[in-house]
Amino acid sequence: MSKLTLNSYPHMLGFEQLERLLERSAKSGNEGYPPYNIEQTSDHSYRITLAVAGFAEEDLVITVEDRQLVIRGRQRDDSEGRIFLHRGIAARQFQRMFVLADGVEVGEAVMENGLLHVDLTRAVPQSVVQTINIRKG
C-alpha cells in the first residue's frame, strides 16, 4: 500500500507545510503524562487543560516555539531530610507539545485546583474576493 501524501492532490497548492506539521506532531514524543483535555469553548476558541497536581506555577514553563505550544513541568525535589515509608507520588518532569495552525494565538494560562488551563483563539480569516485582470500577451 502506498503512502498517501498531499502531493497526490495537484489542486492543493501551498500545503506542503501542513504535511511537515503532521509528521512533526506524530513524532513529538508526547507520552501519556500528564493527562489533558482539549475543548472547543466557542466557534473560534479552544482550551487545553492539563492535570498537573503537585506542580506549582513556578514549576511550569509555557512557550510557543516554531508554531508549537510547548508546556514543560519540572518539580523541585523537596524530599531531603524526609523519610518515606511509601512513595507513590513521583516527582517527574514532562513536556507536552501541541502544533498550532496559522492564526491560532495563545491567550492566558490559569492554574486552578491542580489543573492548568491554556486558552487559545483562532483569528477569523476575512473573506476576500480578488479579480485578476487578463492582459494580452
Side-chain angles (χ1 to χ4, degrees), residues 41-93:
T41 54
S42 77
D43 286 344
H44 305 289
S45 62
Y46 309 92
R47 173 172 270 190
I48 298 172
T49 301
L50 282 83
V52 291
F55 287 85
E57 288 89 347
E58 56 269 10
D59 297 335
L60 302 168
V61 175
I62 303 170
T63 58
V64 176
E65 305 169 10
D66 192 25
R67 301 305 307 156
Q68 285 190 95
L69 171 63
V70 181
I71 303 171
R72 294 180 179 94
R74 173 172 281 188
Q75 291 177 314
R76 288 171 268 119
D77 186 13
D78 63 351
S79 62
E80 187 175 322
R82 297 167 70 186
I83 300 171
F84 289 93
L85 300 179
H86 172 76
R87 186 161 188 178
I89 303 172
R92 64 194 273 199
Q93 61 185 9

Side-chain angles (χ1 to χ4, degrees), residues 2-135:
S2 64
K3 179 181 174 186
L4 186 62
T5 66
L6 291 176
N7 293 335
S8 304
Y9 299 93
H11 57 278
M12 303 280 294
L13 302 174
F15 287 92
E16 297 83 11
Q17 182 181 2
L18 177 60
E19 194 164 7
R20 286 192 298 272
L21 285 172
L22 289 171
E23 288 176 8
R24 183 171 44 171
S25 177
K27 297 176 185 177
S28 67
N30 280 338
E31 308 261 330
Y33 179 78
Y36 65 93
N37 292 337
I38 300 175
E39 61 184 298
Q40 185 169 359
T41 54
S42 77
D43 286 344
H44 305 289
S45 62
Y46 309 92
R47 173 172 270 190
I48 298 172
T49 301
L50 282 83
V52 291
F55 287 85
E57 288 89 347
E58 56 269 10
D59 297 335
L60 302 168
V61 175
I62 303 170
T63 58
V64 176
E65 305 169 10
D66 192 25
R67 301 305 307 156
Q68 285 190 95
L69 171 63
V70 181
I71 303 171
R72 294 180 179 94
R74 173 172 281 188
Q75 291 177 314
R76 288 171 268 119
D77 186 13
D78 63 351
S79 62
E80 187 175 322
R82 297 167 70 186
I83 300 171
F84 289 93
L85 300 179
H86 172 76
R87 186 161 188 178
I89 303 172
R92 64 194 273 199
Q93 61 185 9
F94 71 86
Q95 176 174 296
R96 269 275 177 214
M97 296 189 298
F98 302 90
V99 177
L100 303 175
D102 287 337
V104 174
E105 298 295 325
V106 179
E108 72 174 348
V110 177
M111 187 84 142
E112 174 184 46
N113 298 324
L115 298 174
L116 174 65
H117 304 288
V118 181
D119 291 321
L120 309 169
T121 56
R122 182 183 60 189
V124 180
Q126 294 181 353
S127 178
V128 176
V129 176
Q130 181 180 4
T131 302
I132 309 299
N133 292 323
I134 301 171
R135 65 176 182 89

